[in-house]
Coordinates of all heavy atoms in Angstrom, one line a residue:
M28 N -6.3 8.5 -5.4 CA -6.8 7.7 -4.2 C -6.5 8.5 -3.0 O -5.3 8.9 -2.8 CB -6.2 6.3 -4.3 CG -6.6 5.5 -3.1 SD -5.9 3.8 -3.1 CE -6.7 3.1 -4.6
D29 N -7.4 8.6 -2.1 CA -7.2 9.3 -0.8 C -6.3 8.5 0.1 O -6.6 7.3 0.4 CB -8.6 9.6 -0.2 CG -8.4 10.2 1.2 OD1 -7.4 11.0 1.4 OD2 -9.3 10.0 2.1
K30 N -5.3 9.1 0.6 CA -4.3 8.4 1.5 C -4.2 9.1 2.8 O -3.3 8.9 3.5 CB -3.0 8.2 0.8 CG -3.1 7.3 -0.5 CD -1.8 7.2 -1.2 CE -2.1 6.4 -2.5 NZ -1.0 6.5 -3.4
S31 N -5.1 10.0 3.1 CA -5.0 10.8 4.3 C -5.2 9.8 5.5 O -4.8 10.2 6.6 CB -6.1 11.8 4.4 OG -7.4 11.3 4.3
W32 N -5.8 8.6 5.3 CA -6.0 7.7 6.4 C -4.6 7.2 7.0 O -4.6 6.8 8.2 CB -6.8 6.5 5.9 CG -6.0 5.7 4.9 CD1 -6.1 5.9 3.5 CD2 -5.1 4.6 5.1 NE1 -5.3 5.0 2.9 CE2 -4.7 4.2 3.8 CE3 -4.6 3.9 6.2 CZ2 -3.8 3.2 3.6 CZ3 -3.7 2.9 6.0 CH2 -3.3 2.5 4.7
I33 N -3.6 7.3 6.2 CA -2.3 6.8 6.7 C -1.8 7.5 8.0 O -1.2 6.9 8.8 CB -1.2 7.0 5.6 CG1 -1.5 6.1 4.4 CG2 0.2 6.8 6.1 CD1 -0.7 6.3 3.2
T34 N -2.2 8.8 8.1 CA -1.7 9.5 9.3 C -2.7 9.5 10.5 O -2.5 10.0 11.5 CB -1.5 11.0 9.0 OG1 -2.7 11.6 8.5 CG2 -0.4 11.1 7.9
K35 N -3.8 8.8 10.3 CA -4.9 8.7 11.3 C -4.5 7.7 12.4 O -3.7 6.8 12.1 CB -6.2 8.3 10.8 CG -6.7 9.2 9.7 CD -7.3 10.4 10.2 CE -7.9 11.2 9.0 NZ -8.1 12.6 9.3
P36 N -5.0 7.8 13.6 CA -4.7 6.8 14.6 C -5.2 5.4 14.1 O -6.3 5.3 13.4 CB -5.5 7.2 15.8 CG -5.6 8.7 15.6 CD -5.7 8.9 14.2
R37 N -4.6 4.3 14.5 CA -4.9 3.0 14.0 C -6.2 2.5 14.5 O -6.7 1.5 13.9 CB -3.8 2.0 14.3 CG -2.5 2.4 13.5 CD -1.4 1.4 13.7 NE -1.1 1.1 15.1 CZ -0.2 1.7 15.8 NH1 0.4 2.8 15.4 NH2 0.0 1.3 17.1
N38 N -6.8 3.1 15.5 CA -8.0 2.6 16.1 C -9.2 3.4 15.5 O -10.3 3.3 16.0 CB -8.0 2.7 17.6 CG -7.9 4.1 18.1 OD1 -7.5 5.0 17.4 ND2 -8.1 4.3 19.4
T39 N -9.1 4.2 14.4 CA -10.2 4.9 13.9 C -10.8 4.2 12.7 O -10.2 3.4 12.0 CB -9.7 6.3 13.4 OG1 -8.7 6.2 12.3 CG2 -9.1 7.2 14.5
V40 N -12.0 4.6 12.4 CA -12.8 4.0 11.3 C -12.0 4.4 10.0 O -11.9 3.6 9.1 CB -14.2 4.5 11.3 CG1 -14.9 4.1 10.0 CG2 -14.9 4.0 12.5
E41 N -11.6 5.6 9.9 CA -10.9 6.1 8.7 C -9.6 5.2 8.4 O -9.4 4.9 7.2 CB -10.5 7.6 8.8 CG -11.6 8.5 8.9 CD -12.1 8.8 10.3 OE1 -11.6 8.1 11.3 OE2 -12.9 9.7 10.5
Y42 N -8.9 4.9 9.4 CA -7.7 4.1 9.2 C -8.1 2.7 8.7 O -7.5 2.1 7.8 CB -6.9 4.0 10.5 CG -5.5 3.3 10.3 CD1 -4.4 3.9 9.9 CD2 -5.5 1.9 10.5 CE1 -3.2 3.3 9.7 CE2 -4.3 1.2 10.3 CZ -3.1 1.9 9.9 OH -2.0 1.2 9.7
S43 N -9.1 2.1 9.4 CA -9.6 0.8 9.0 C -10.0 0.7 7.6 O -9.7 -0.2 6.9 CB -10.7 0.4 10.0 OG -11.1 -0.9 9.7
I44 N -10.8 1.7 7.2 CA -11.3 1.7 5.8 C -10.2 1.9 4.8 O -10.1 1.2 3.8 CB -12.4 2.8 5.6 CG1 -13.7 2.4 6.4 CG2 -12.8 3.0 4.1 CD1 -14.7 3.5 6.5
G45 N -9.3 2.8 5.1 CA -8.2 3.1 4.2 C -7.3 1.9 4.1 O -6.8 1.5 3.0
L46 N -7.1 1.2 5.2 CA -6.2 -0.1 5.2 C -6.9 -1.1 4.3 O -6.1 -1.8 3.6 CB -6.0 -0.6 6.7 CG -5.2 -1.9 6.8 CD1 -3.9 -1.7 6.2 CD2 -5.2 -2.3 8.3
Q47 N -8.2 -1.3 4.4 CA -8.8 -2.3 3.6 C -8.7 -1.9 2.1 O -8.5 -2.8 1.2 CB -10.3 -2.4 4.0 CG -10.5 -3.0 5.3 CD -9.8 -4.3 5.5 OE1 -9.8 -5.2 4.7 NE2 -9.0 -4.5 6.6
K48 N -8.8 -0.6 1.8 CA -8.6 -0.2 0.4 C -7.2 -0.4 -0.1 O -7.0 -0.8 -1.2 CB -9.0 1.3 0.2 CG -10.5 1.5 0.3 CD -10.9 2.9 0.1 CE -12.4 3.1 0.2 NZ -12.8 4.5 0.0
F49 N -6.2 -0.1 0.8 CA -4.8 -0.4 0.4 C -4.6 -1.9 0.2 O -4.0 -2.3 -0.8 CB -3.9 0.0 1.6 CG -2.5 -0.6 1.4 CD1 -1.6 -0.1 0.5 CD2 -2.1 -1.7 2.2 CE1 -0.3 -0.7 0.3 CE2 -0.8 -2.3 2.0 CZ 0.0 -1.8 1.1
L50 N -5.2 -2.8 1.1 CA -5.0 -4.2 0.9 C -5.7 -4.7 -0.4 O -5.1 -5.5 -1.1 CB -5.6 -5.0 2.1 CG -4.8 -4.8 3.4 CD1 -5.6 -5.3 4.6 CD2 -3.4 -5.4 3.3
D51 N -6.9 -4.2 -0.7 CA -7.5 -4.5 -1.9 C -6.7 -4.2 -3.1 O -6.5 -5.0 -4.0 CB -8.9 -3.8 -2.1 CG -9.9 -4.3 -1.1 OD1 -9.7 -5.4 -0.5 OD2 -10.9 -3.6 -0.9
F52 N -6.2 -2.9 -3.1 CA -5.3 -2.4 -4.2 C -4.0 -3.3 -4.3 O -3.7 -3.7 -5.4 CB -4.9 -1.0 -4.0 CG -4.1 -0.4 -5.1 CD1 -4.7 0.1 -6.2 CD2 -2.7 -0.4 -5.0 CE1 -3.9 0.6 -7.3 CE2 -1.9 0.1 -6.0 CZ -2.5 0.6 -7.2
A53 N -3.4 -3.5 -3.2 CA -2.1 -4.2 -3.2 C -2.2 -5.6 -3.7 O -1.4 -6.1 -4.5 CB -1.5 -4.2 -1.8
F54 N -3.3 -6.3 -3.3 CA -3.4 -7.7 -3.7 C -3.9 -7.8 -5.1 O -3.7 -8.8 -5.8 CB -4.3 -8.5 -2.7 CG -3.6 -8.9 -1.5 CD1 -3.5 -8.2 -0.4 CD2 -2.9 -10.1 -1.5 CE1 -2.7 -8.6 0.7 CE2 -2.1 -10.6 -0.5 CZ -2.0 -9.8 0.7
E55 N -4.6 -6.8 -5.6 CA -5.0 -6.8 -7.0 C -3.8 -6.4 -8.0 O -3.8 -6.9 -9.1 CB -6.1 -5.8 -7.2 CG -6.7 -5.8 -8.6 CD -7.9 -4.9 -8.7 OE1 -8.8 -4.9 -7.8 OE2 -8.1 -4.2 -9.7
N56 N -2.9 -5.5 -7.5 CA -1.9 -5.0 -8.4 C -0.5 -5.4 -8.1 O 0.4 -5.3 -9.0 CB -2.0 -3.5 -8.4 CG -3.3 -3.0 -8.9 OD1 -3.6 -3.0 -10.1 ND2 -4.2 -2.5 -8.0
G57 N -0.2 -5.8 -6.9 CA 1.2 -6.1 -6.6 C 1.5 -7.4 -5.9 O 2.5 -7.6 -5.2
A58 N 0.6 -8.4 -6.0 CA 0.7 -9.6 -5.3 C 1.6 -10.6 -6.1 O 1.7 -10.5 -7.4 CB -0.7 -10.3 -5.1
S59 N 2.2 -11.5 -5.4 CA 2.9 -12.6 -5.9 C 2.2 -13.8 -5.3 O 2.3 -14.1 -4.1 CB 4.4 -12.6 -5.6 OG 5.0 -13.8 -6.1
G60 N 1.3 -14.4 -6.1 CA 0.4 -15.5 -5.5 C -0.5 -14.8 -4.6 O -1.2 -13.9 -4.9
D61 N -0.5 -15.3 -3.4 CA -1.4 -14.8 -2.4 C -0.7 -13.9 -1.3 O -1.1 -13.8 -0.2 CB -2.3 -15.9 -1.7 CG -1.4 -16.9 -1.0 OD1 -0.2 -16.8 -1.1 OD2 -2.0 -17.7 -0.2
T62 N 0.4 -13.4 -1.7 CA 1.2 -12.5 -0.8 C 1.6 -11.2 -1.4 O 1.7 -11.1 -2.6 CB 2.5 -13.3 -0.3 OG1 3.3 -13.5 -1.4 CG2 2.2 -14.6 0.4
I63 N 1.9 -10.2 -0.5 CA 2.4 -8.9 -0.9 C 3.6 -8.6 0.0 O 3.8 -9.2 1.0 CB 1.4 -7.8 -0.9 CG1 0.9 -7.6 0.6 CG2 0.3 -8.0 -1.9 CD1 0.1 -6.3 0.8
R64 N 4.4 -7.6 -0.4 CA 5.5 -7.1 0.4 C 4.8 -6.4 1.6 O 4.0 -5.5 1.4 CB 6.4 -6.1 -0.3 CG 7.2 -6.8 -1.4 CD 7.9 -5.7 -2.1 NE 8.6 -6.2 -3.3 CZ 9.9 -6.5 -3.3 NH1 10.6 -6.4 -2.3 NH2 10.4 -7.0 -4.4
C65 N 5.1 -6.8 2.8 CA 4.5 -6.2 4.0 C 5.2 -4.9 4.3 O 6.4 -4.9 4.5 CB 4.5 -7.1 5.2 SG 3.7 -6.4 6.6
P66 N 4.5 -3.7 4.3 CA 5.1 -2.4 4.5 C 5.3 -2.1 6.0 O 5.8 -1.0 6.3 CB 4.2 -1.5 3.8 CG 2.8 -2.1 4.0 CD 3.1 -3.6 3.9
C67 N 4.9 -3.0 6.9 CA 5.1 -2.6 8.3 C 6.5 -2.4 8.7 O 7.4 -2.9 8.0 CB 4.4 -3.7 9.2 SG 5.5 -5.1 9.6
P68 N 6.8 -1.7 9.8 CA 8.2 -1.4 10.2 C 9.0 -2.7 10.4 O 10.2 -2.8 10.2 CB 8.1 -0.6 11.4 CG 6.7 0.0 11.4 CD 5.9 -1.0 10.6
K69 N 8.4 -3.8 10.9 CA 9.1 -5.0 11.2 C 9.5 -5.7 9.9 O 10.6 -6.2 9.8 CB 8.2 -5.9 12.0 CG 8.8 -7.3 12.4 CD 7.8 -8.1 13.1 CE 8.4 -9.5 13.4 NZ 7.5 -10.4 14.0
C70 N 8.6 -5.8 8.9 CA 8.9 -6.5 7.7 C 9.6 -5.6 6.7 O 10.4 -6.1 5.8 CB 7.6 -7.0 7.0 SG 6.8 -8.3 8.0
G71 N 9.4 -4.3 6.7 CA 10.1 -3.3 5.9 C 10.1 -3.6 4.4 O 11.1 -3.4 3.8
F72 N 9.0 -4.0 3.9 CA 8.8 -4.3 2.5 C 9.7 -5.4 1.9 O 9.7 -5.7 0.8 CB 9.2 -3.0 1.6 CG 8.3 -1.8 1.9 CD1 8.8 -0.8 2.8 CD2 7.1 -1.7 1.3 CE1 8.0 0.3 3.0 CE2 6.3 -0.5 1.5 CZ 6.8 0.4 2.4
V73 N 10.3 -6.2 2.8 CA 11.2 -7.3 2.4 C 10.5 -8.6 2.5 O 10.6 -9.4 1.6 CB 12.5 -7.3 3.3 CG1 13.3 -8.5 2.9 CG2 13.2 -6.0 3.1
K74 N 9.7 -8.8 3.6 CA 9.0 -10.1 3.7 C 7.6 -10.0 3.0 O 6.9 -9.0 3.0 CB 8.7 -10.3 5.2 CG 10.0 -10.5 6.0 CD 9.6 -10.9 7.5 CE 10.9 -11.1 8.3 NZ 10.6 -11.4 9.6
W75 N 7.4 -11.2 2.3 CA 6.1 -11.3 1.6 C 5.2 -12.1 2.6 O 5.5 -13.1 3.1 CB 6.3 -12.2 0.3 CG 7.1 -11.4 -0.7 CD1 8.5 -11.2 -0.7 CD2 6.6 -10.8 -1.8 NE1 8.8 -10.5 -1.8 CE2 7.7 -10.2 -2.6 CE3 5.3 -10.6 -2.4 CZ2 7.5 -9.5 -3.7 CZ3 5.2 -9.9 -3.6 CH2 6.3 -9.4 -4.2
Q76 N 4.0 -11.4 2.8 CA 3.0 -12.0 3.7 C 1.6 -12.1 3.1 O 1.3 -11.4 2.2 CB 3.0 -11.0 5.0 CG 4.2 -10.8 5.6 CD 4.7 -11.9 6.5 OE1 4.2 -13.0 6.6 NE2 5.8 -11.6 7.3
A77 N 0.8 -12.9 3.7 CA -0.6 -13.1 3.3 C -1.4 -11.9 3.8 O -1.0 -11.2 4.7 CB -1.1 -14.4 3.9
R78 N -2.6 -11.7 3.3 CA -3.4 -10.6 3.6 C -3.7 -10.5 5.1 O -3.5 -9.4 5.7 CB -4.7 -10.6 2.8 CG -5.6 -9.4 3.1 CD -6.9 -9.4 2.3 NE -7.6 -8.3 2.6 CZ -8.0 -7.4 1.7 NH1 -7.8 -7.6 0.4 NH2 -8.7 -6.3 2.0
G79 N -4.0 -11.5 5.8 CA -4.4 -11.4 7.2 C -3.2 -11.0 8.0 O -3.3 -10.3 9.0
I80 N -2.0 -11.5 7.7 CA -0.8 -11.1 8.4 C -0.5 -9.6 8.2 O -0.2 -8.9 9.1 CB 0.4 -12.0 8.0 CG1 0.2 -13.4 8.2 CG2 1.7 -11.5 8.6 CD1 0.0 -13.8 9.7
V81 N -0.5 -9.2 6.9 CA -0.3 -7.7 6.6 C -1.3 -6.9 7.4 O -0.9 -5.9 8.0 CB -0.3 -7.5 5.1 CG1 -0.1 -6.0 4.8 CG2 0.7 -8.3 4.4
E82 N -2.5 -7.2 7.3 CA -3.5 -6.5 8.0 C -3.2 -6.4 9.5 O -3.3 -5.3 10.1 CB -4.9 -7.1 7.8 CG -6.1 -6.3 8.4 CD -7.4 -6.9 8.2 OE1 -7.5 -8.0 7.6 OE2 -8.4 -6.3 8.5
E83 N -2.9 -7.5 10.1 CA -2.6 -7.5 11.5 C -1.4 -6.7 11.8 O -1.4 -5.8 12.8 CB -2.3 -9.0 12.0 CG -2.0 -9.1 13.4 CD -1.7 -10.5 13.8 OE1 -2.3 -11.5 13.3 OE2 -0.8 -10.7 14.7
H84 N -0.3 -6.8 11.0 CA 0.9 -6.0 11.2 C 0.6 -4.5 11.1 O 1.1 -3.7 11.9 CB 1.9 -6.3 10.2 CG 2.6 -7.6 10.4 ND1 3.8 -8.0 9.7 CD2 2.4 -8.6 11.3 CE1 4.1 -9.2 10.2 NE2 3.3 -9.6 11.1
L85 N -0.3 -4.1 10.2 CA -0.6 -2.7 10.0 C -1.6 -2.1 11.0 O -1.8 -0.9 11.1 CB -1.0 -2.4 8.6 CG 0.2 -2.6 7.6 CD1 -0.3 -2.5 6.1 CD2 1.3 -1.7 7.8
I86 N -2.2 -3.0 11.7 CA -3.1 -2.5 12.9 C -2.2 -2.4 14.1 O -2.3 -1.4 14.9 CB -4.2 -3.5 13.1 CG1 -5.2 -3.4 12.0 CG2 -4.9 -3.3 14.4 CD1 -6.3 -4.5 12.0
L87 N -1.2 -3.3 14.3 CA -0.4 -3.3 15.5 C 0.7 -2.2 15.3 O 1.2 -1.7 16.3 CB 0.2 -4.6 15.7 CG -0.8 -5.7 16.1 CD1 0.0 -7.1 16.2 CD2 -1.5 -5.4 17.4
K88 N 1.2 -2.0 14.1 CA 2.3 -1.1 13.8 C 1.8 0.0 12.8 O 1.1 -0.4 11.9 CB 3.5 -1.8 13.3 CG 4.0 -2.8 14.3 CD 5.0 -3.8 13.7 CE 5.6 -4.8 14.6 NZ 4.7 -5.6 15.3
Q89 N 2.3 1.2 12.8 CA 1.9 2.2 11.9 C 2.2 2.0 10.5 O 3.4 1.5 10.2 CB 2.5 3.6 12.4 CG 2.1 4.8 11.6 CD 0.6 5.1 11.8 OE1 0.1 5.1 12.9 NE2 -0.1 5.5 10.7
F90 N 1.3 2.3 9.6 CA 1.6 2.2 8.2 C 2.7 3.3 7.9 O 2.7 4.4 8.5 CB 0.4 2.6 7.4 CG 0.4 2.4 5.9 CD1 0.0 1.2 5.4 CD2 1.0 3.3 5.1 CE1 0.1 1.0 4.0 CE2 1.1 3.1 3.7 CZ 0.6 1.9 3.1
P91 N 3.7 3.0 7.0 CA 4.8 4.0 6.8 C 4.2 5.3 6.2 O 3.6 5.3 5.2 CB 5.7 3.3 5.8 CG 5.3 1.9 5.8 CD 3.9 1.8 6.3
I92 N 4.4 6.4 7.0 CA 3.8 7.6 6.6 C 4.3 8.2 5.3 O 3.6 8.8 4.6 CB 4.0 8.7 7.8 CG1 3.2 8.2 9.0 CG2 3.6 10.1 7.4 CD1 3.4 9.0 10.2
N93 N 5.5 7.9 5.0 CA 6.1 8.4 3.7 C 5.8 7.6 2.5 O 6.2 7.9 1.4 CB 7.6 8.6 3.9 CG 8.0 9.7 4.9 OD1 7.2 10.6 5.1 ND2 9.1 9.5 5.6
Y94 N 5.1 6.4 2.7 CA 4.8 5.6 1.6 C 3.5 6.0 1.0 O 2.4 5.4 1.3 CB 4.8 4.1 2.0 CG 4.7 3.1 0.9 CD1 5.5 3.2 -0.2 CD2 3.8 2.0 1.0 CE1 5.4 2.2 -1.2 CE2 3.7 1.1 0.0 CZ 4.5 1.2 -1.1 OH 4.4 0.3 -2.1
V95 N 3.5 7.0 0.2 CA 2.3 7.6 -0.4 C 2.1 7.2 -1.9 O 1.0 7.4 -2.4 CB 2.2 9.1 -0.2 CG1 2.0 9.4 1.3 CG2 3.4 9.8 -0.7
I96 N 3.2 6.8 -2.6 CA 3.0 6.2 -3.9 C 3.4 4.8 -3.7 O 4.5 4.4 -3.4 CB 4.0 6.9 -4.9 CG1 3.6 8.4 -5.0 CG2 3.9 6.2 -6.3 CD1 4.5 9.2 -5.9
W97 N 2.4 3.9 -3.9 CA 2.5 2.5 -3.6 C 3.2 1.8 -4.7 O 2.7 0.8 -5.2 CB 1.2 1.9 -3.2 CG 0.5 2.6 -2.0 CD1 1.1 3.2 -1.0 CD2 -0.9 2.7 -1.8 NE1 0.2 3.7 -0.1 CE2 -1.1 3.4 -0.6 CE3 -2.0 2.2 -2.4 CZ2 -2.3 3.6 0.0 CZ3 -3.3 2.4 -1.9 CH2 -3.4 3.1 -0.7
N98 N 4.4 2.2 -5.1 CA 5.1 1.6 -6.2 C 5.4 0.1 -6.0 O 5.5 -0.6 -7.0 CB 6.3 2.4 -6.6 CG 7.3 2.6 -5.5 OD1 6.9 2.6 -4.3 ND2 8.5 2.7 -5.8
L99 N 5.7 -0.3 -4.8 CA 6.0 -1.7 -4.6 C 4.7 -2.6 -4.5 O 4.8 -3.8 -4.4 CB 6.7 -1.8 -3.2 CG 8.1 -1.2 -3.2 CD1 8.7 -1.3 -1.8 CD2 9.0 -1.8 -4.3
H100 N 3.6 -1.9 -4.7 CA 2.3 -2.6 -4.7 C 1.5 -2.3 -6.0 O 0.3 -2.5 -6.0 CB 1.5 -2.3 -3.4 CG 2.2 -2.7 -2.2 ND1 3.0 -1.9 -1.5 CD2 2.2 -3.9 -1.6 CE1 3.6 -2.6 -0.5 NE2 3.1 -3.8 -0.5
G101 N 2.2 -1.9 -7.0 CA 1.5 -1.8 -8.3 C 1.1 -0.4 -8.7 O 0.6 -0.2 -9.8
E102 N 1.3 0.6 -7.9 CA 0.9 2.0 -8.2 C 2.0 2.6 -9.1 O 3.2 2.5 -8.8 CB 0.6 2.8 -7.0 CG 0.0 4.2 -7.4 CD -0.4 5.0 -6.1 OE1 0.0 4.7 -5.0 OE2 -1.2 5.9 -6.3
R103 N 1.6 3.3 -10.1 CA 2.5 4.0 -10.9 C 2.4 5.5 -10.7 O 1.3 6.0 -10.5 CB 2.3 3.7 -12.4 CG 2.3 2.2 -12.6 CD 2.1 1.9 -14.1 NE 3.5 1.7 -14.6 CZ 3.7 1.5 -15.9 NH1 2.8 1.5 -16.7 NH2 4.9 1.3 -16.3
Q104 N 3.5 6.2 -10.8 CA 3.5 7.7 -10.8 C 2.8 8.2 -12.0 O 2.9 7.6 -13.1 CB 4.9 8.3 -10.6 CG 5.5 8.0 -9.3 CD 6.9 8.6 -9.1 OE1 7.6 8.7 -10.1 NE2 7.3 9.0 -8.0
R105 N 2.2 9.4 -11.9 CA 1.5 10.0 -13.1 C 2.5 10.2 -14.2 O 2.2 10.0 -15.4 CB 0.9 11.3 -12.7 CG -0.3 11.1 -11.8 CD -1.1 12.4 -11.6 NE -2.1 12.2 -10.6 CZ -3.4 11.9 -10.8 NH1 -3.8 11.7 -12.0 NH2 -4.2 11.8 -9.8
Q106 N 3.7 10.6 -13.9 CA 4.8 10.8 -14.9 C 5.0 9.6 -15.8 O 5.1 9.6 -17.0 CB 6.1 11.2 -14.3 CG 6.3 12.6 -13.9 CD 7.7 12.9 -13.3 OE1 8.2 12.0 -12.6 NE2 8.2 14.0 -13.6
D107 N 5.1 8.4 -15.1 CA 5.3 7.2 -15.8 C 4.2 6.9 -16.7 O 4.4 6.4 -17.8 CB 5.5 6.0 -14.8 CG 6.8 6.2 -14.0 OD1 7.7 6.9 -14.4 OD2 6.8 5.5 -12.9
I108 N 2.9 7.1 -16.3 CA 1.8 6.8 -17.0 C 1.8 7.7 -18.3 O 1.6 7.2 -19.4 CB 0.5 7.0 -16.2 CG1 0.4 5.9 -15.1 CG2 -0.7 6.9 -17.1 CD1 -0.6 6.1 -14.1
S109 N 2.0 9.0 -18.1 CA 1.9 9.9 -19.3 C 3.1 9.6 -20.3 O 2.9 9.7 -21.5 CB 1.9 11.4 -18.9 OG 3.1 11.7 -18.2
R110 N 4.2 9.2 -19.7 CA 5.4 8.9 -20.6 C 5.1 7.7 -21.4 O 5.3 7.6 -22.6 CB 6.7 8.7 -19.8 CG 7.9 8.5 -20.6 CD 9.2 8.4 -19.9 NE 9.1 7.6 -18.7 CZ 9.5 8.0 -17.5 NH1 10.1 9.1 -17.3 NH2 9.4 7.1 -16.5
N111 N 4.5 6.7 -20.8 CA 4.1 5.4 -21.5 C 3.1 5.7 -22.6 O 3.1 5.1 -23.6 CB 3.6 4.4 -20.5 CG 4.7 3.8 -19.7 OD1 5.9 3.9 -20.0 ND2 4.4 3.2 -18.6
E112 N 2.2 6.6 -22.3 CA 1.2 7.0 -23.3 C 1.8 7.7 -24.5 O 1.5 7.4 -25.7 CB 0.1 7.9 -22.7 CG -0.8 7.2 -21.8 CD -1.8 8.1 -21.1 OE1 -1.7 9.3 -21.3 OE2 -2.6 7.6 -20.3
D113 N 2.8 8.6 -24.2 CA 3.5 9.2 -25.3 C 4.3 8.2 -26.2 O 4.3 8.3 -27.4 CB 4.5 10.3 -24.8 CG 3.8 11.5 -24.1 OD1 2.6 11.7 -24.4 OD2 4.5 12.2 -23.4
E114 N 4.9 7.3 -25.5 CA 5.7 6.2 -26.2 C 4.8 5.4 -27.1 O 5.2 4.9 -28.2 CB 6.5 5.4 -25.2 CG 7.6 6.1 -24.6 CD 8.2 5.3 -23.4 OE1 7.8 4.2 -23.2 OE2 9.2 5.9 -22.8
S115 N 3.6 5.1 -26.7 CA 2.7 4.2 -27.4 C 2.1 4.9 -28.6 O 1.5 4.3 -29.5 CB 1.7 3.6 -26.5 OG 0.8 4.6 -26.0
Q116 N 2.1 6.2 -28.7 CA 1.5 7.0 -29.8 C 2.3 7.1 -30.9 O 3.3 7.1 -31.3 CB 1.0 8.3 -29.3 CG -0.1 8.2 -28.3 CD -0.6 9.6 -27.8 OE1 0.0 10.6 -28.2 NE2 -1.5 9.6 -27.0

């Protein structure tokens, strides 16, 4: 998944599209009910927020630039996936 949008200015189309894809992914793979851990600097992955709040926070504050493997939102590293495949065989 392309994550180059993370470093784009928050007022660009690329950032907006990327943010929507992140939110779709996070709510599909890492939600607890209708909330996810908000990655904005204010919430710091600790507070669980609804989609509209997370979206607003990530428009007002920069998405964490170093958060490129969304492990707190359901993304797995390739190593983990291949290791799990080896274990299941």
Side-chain angles (χ1 to χ4, degrees):
M28 179 179 295
D29 176 30
K30 297 175 183 164
S31 63
W32 63 272
I33 293 171
T34 61
K35 304 284 185 198
R37 294 184 309 272
N38 63 346
T39 62
V40 172
E41 294 89 353
Y42 186 88
S43 180
I44 292 170
L46 177 57
Q47 293 308 312
K48 288 181 180 181
F49 164 75
L50 292 170
D51 291 345
F52 180 87
F54 278 92
E55 185 174 318
N56 297 287
S59 176
D61 62 349
T62 62
I63 62 167
R64 293 175 188 263
C65 183
C67 85
K69 179 182 176 184
C70 295
F72 299 97
V73 176
K74 293 184 180 179
W75 291 78
Q76 305 282 7
R78 184 180 179 120
I80 300 296
V81 176
E82 181 177 9
E83 181 180 325
H84 284 190
L85 294 174
I86 289 171
L87 296 175
K88 299 166 179 55
Q89 184 67 41
F90 191 94
I92 292 173
N93 294 330
Y94 188 48
V95 292
I96 298 174
W97 301 334
N98 58 330
L99 296 175
H100 296 94
E102 186 175 21
R103 304 181 99 185
Q104 291 180 328
R105 292 188 190 265
Q106 278 182 319
D107 293 342
I108 293 169
S109 62
R110 183 174 46 229
N111 289 340
E112 288 173 358
D113 291 343
E114 290 172 2
S115 66
Q116 291 178 1

